[in-house]
Amino acid sequence: MNALIVANALAWVAIAILVVAVLALARQVGVLHERVAPMGALTMDHGPEVGSAAPVFSLTALGGAPLAVGRATGRPQLLFFLSPTCPVCKKLVPVLRSLPSGEAGIDIILASDGEQAEHLAFYRKEKLAPFPYVLSTDLGMTFRISKLPYAVLIGPDGRIAAKGLVNNREQIESLLLAQELGVASLQEYVARKNASSGERMENAVV
Amino acid sequence: MIATLLEEAGTMAAWSVRLAVAAIFLEAAQHALSERQEFAGILSAYRILPERLVGALALLLPVSQIAAALALMVPRATLLGAGLAVLLLLLFTTGIAVNLHRGRTDMDCGCGGDSQRISPALVIRNLVLMACVAGTLAAPAHVVFAGAFTVGMAGFAVFLTGLYFATNQLLGNAQSFAAASRRVSA
């Protein structure tokens, strides 16, 4: 009887090890998907290209103040597309607050579309008052925003400096960094680096 | 003879299910509590409850999950634990089903672990979980934990827990794989 129990226990240990192995394999497949996915802020090949002049919009912010988007103002503008129902967007609001906003800073503009009442409630609840908030379907359509949160960085000269889907602080910072480095996106930076070092590694970034 | 064996198997399986569901609930609760703000955001994205309740619920749900998990593991309280667990699973599943019915699939499930979008597969997963927990109600909770029973119960519990997390991971992988394929073809 004791031998049976011991044999049984051993069998369960073996099963437990196999289950852990299956779990680890499944996890690795998941991690692999993430690795293959583009790094940095994801740029989708849609909408006005990086380097081209940004389309200019004259909009009205929540609260009624007029707001020009895309004009060369001598200061970089960060258009941050968000929605009240997107949890990641809310998570990134503190990151936006932490970006330099003073004289040498960035003008941050929040953009969305939909019913004004819903957005006003969101604007008050999340205390977004430091940022102008515009509702414009046109703006989103022009930049071909299909996923949120999406950020577009417009340079002081009114040209699009960088843009992409942003899910965390690093990706927002990658946009600012991309602008400093003079590349359209971190993917392009990685691609250039790979090309210049002569690696024949195929770039899986699509 | 066979009847006794089946009864014993049922008791053993029921305890394994209780432990596995407790582990699953504890993991989800831990995740929800450590990312409370994000969890609240996900809850409000479900667009079912008034905004005012979301903050409180973001705390109440994981705490209830912990309570259910603990109750499931105490022989005297398994009934209570199973009832609470089924109720919570019913709430989550209704939330997912309502939003799927509204045609919203591009929404975080908030199930704990890696983010996963809501899908019919999650509804089925939760129904299976509910059926398992409900099944434990038919088995006696009072047993003598000794020898082979404990070995079998613990082993099967580890197996079930692993099976759940592996299934969950594979469901998530399938989603990211589908998204990657869309990117390639776009």
Side-chain angles (χ1 to χ4, degrees):
Chain A
M1 192 62 188
N2 270 342
L4 262 183
I5 295 180
V6 172
N8 189 251
L10 279 179
W12 279 119
V13 169
I15 291 174
I17 292 171
L18 286 175
V19 166
V20 170
V22 170
L23 198 60
L25 279 175
R27 178 88 201 105
Q28 277 183 357
V29 173
V31 170
L32 211 61
H33 281 309
E34 280 167 27
R35 290 276 165 80
V36 173
M39 345 171 19
L42 175 67
T43 42
M44 280 164 283
D45 288 316
H46 296 304
E49 281 189 28
V50 169
S52 63
V56 177
F57 285 85
S58 296
L59 303 168
T60 310
L62 287 187
L67 185 75
V69 174
R71 198 161 289 152
T73 55
R75 281 167 66 89
Q77 275 186 334
L78 183 73
L79 280 178
F80 187 78
F81 289 89
L82 79 176
S83 126
T85 57
C86 145
V88 183
C89 302
K90 278 185 208 167
K91 199 179 80 179
L92 288 181
V93 169
V95 178
L96 294 179
R97 287 189 213 281
S98 74
L99 293 179
S101 58
E103 237 164 68
I106 304 164
D107 290 330
I108 295 167
I109 297 163
L110 305 180
S112 192
D113 65 348
E115 284 189 35
Q116 184 158 347
E118 188 190 353
H119 287 276
L120 260 176
F122 174 65
Y123 188 68
R124 293 203 182 109
K125 183 167 170 262
E126 298 291 322
K127 302 190 174 64
L128 298 173
F131 309 118
Y133 193 115
V134 292
L135 292 180
S136 163
T137 310
D138 252 9
L139 187 66
M141 296 283 267
T142 307
F143 281 100
R144 304 274 188 98
I145 309 301
S146 58
K147 288 263 183 199
L148 295 174
Y150 196 96
V152 177
L153 183 66
I154 299 171
D157 54 355
R159 292 181 181 279
I160 299 173
K163 60 175 187 168
L165 186 66
V166 285
N167 284 318
N168 51 41
R169 173 185 288 276
E170 288 72 24
Q171 290 180 343
I172 290 187
E173 283 170 355
S174 86
L175 287 180
L176 306 179
L177 189 70
Q179 187 210 9
E180 278 173 30
L181 294 174
V183 290
S185 68
L186 274 210
Q187 286 111 283
E188 191 193 309
Y189 177 73
V190 173
R192 271 195 208 169
K193 222 168 86 174
N194 284 347
S196 64
S197 63
E199 280 177 33
R200 290 195 56 216
M201 205 173 75
E202 202 183 336
N203 198 350
V205 173
V206 181
Chain B
M1 174 67 184
I2 293 199
T4 342
L5 268 184
L6 276 181
E7 201 190 314
E8 183 140 3
T11 313
M12 200 187 274
W15 266 106
S16 302
V17 167
R18 287 181 190 122
L19 291 184
V21 170
I24 292 163
F25 269 34
L26 287 178
E27 194 270 347
Q30 185 272 330
H31 195 265
L33 287 177
S34 64
E35 301 269 346
R36 244 182 84 193
Q37 266 205 325
E38 197 174 335
F39 186 62
I42 290 168
L43 279 184
S44 76
Y46 269 88
R47 287 202 193 161
I48 290 179
L49 292 157
E51 279 292 317
R52 281 176 297 133
L53 295 181
V54 163
L57 210 64
L59 186 64
L60 185 67
L61 282 180
V63 168
S64 313
Q65 279 186 309
I66 292 173
L70 295 180
L72 272 172
M73 291 190 286
V74 178
R76 283 177 182 282
T78 48
L79 263 178
L80 184 75
L84 189 54
V86 170
L87 186 72
L88 285 169
L89 283 167
L90 198 65
L91 276 178
F92 299 146
T93 314
T94 311
I96 295 172
V98 165
N99 278 292
L100 282 176
H101 183 71
R102 288 173 181 165
R104 302 173 66 204
T105 50
D106 204 17
M107 201 184 111
D108 200 313
C109 147
C111 307
D114 285 344
S115 70
Q116 195 177 126
R117 291 191 307 279
I118 59 170
S119 67
L122 288 182
V123 176
I124 296 171
R125 184 199 71 183
N126 285 3
L127 289 177
V128 171
L129 271 179
M130 275 189 266
C132 288
V133 178
T136 65
L137 296 176
H142 292 273
V143 284
V144 181
F145 291 97
F149 182 87
T150 312
V151 169
M153 178 200 73
F156 197 46
V158 171
F159 171 77
L160 287 178
T161 312
L163 189 68
Y164 171 85
F165 285 115
T167 309
N168 224 12
Q169 178 73 50
L170 289 173
L171 286 177
N173 287 359
Q175 281 182 356
S176 58
F177 187 69
S181 310
R182 272 200 302 277
R183 265 205 302 274
V184 170
S185 61

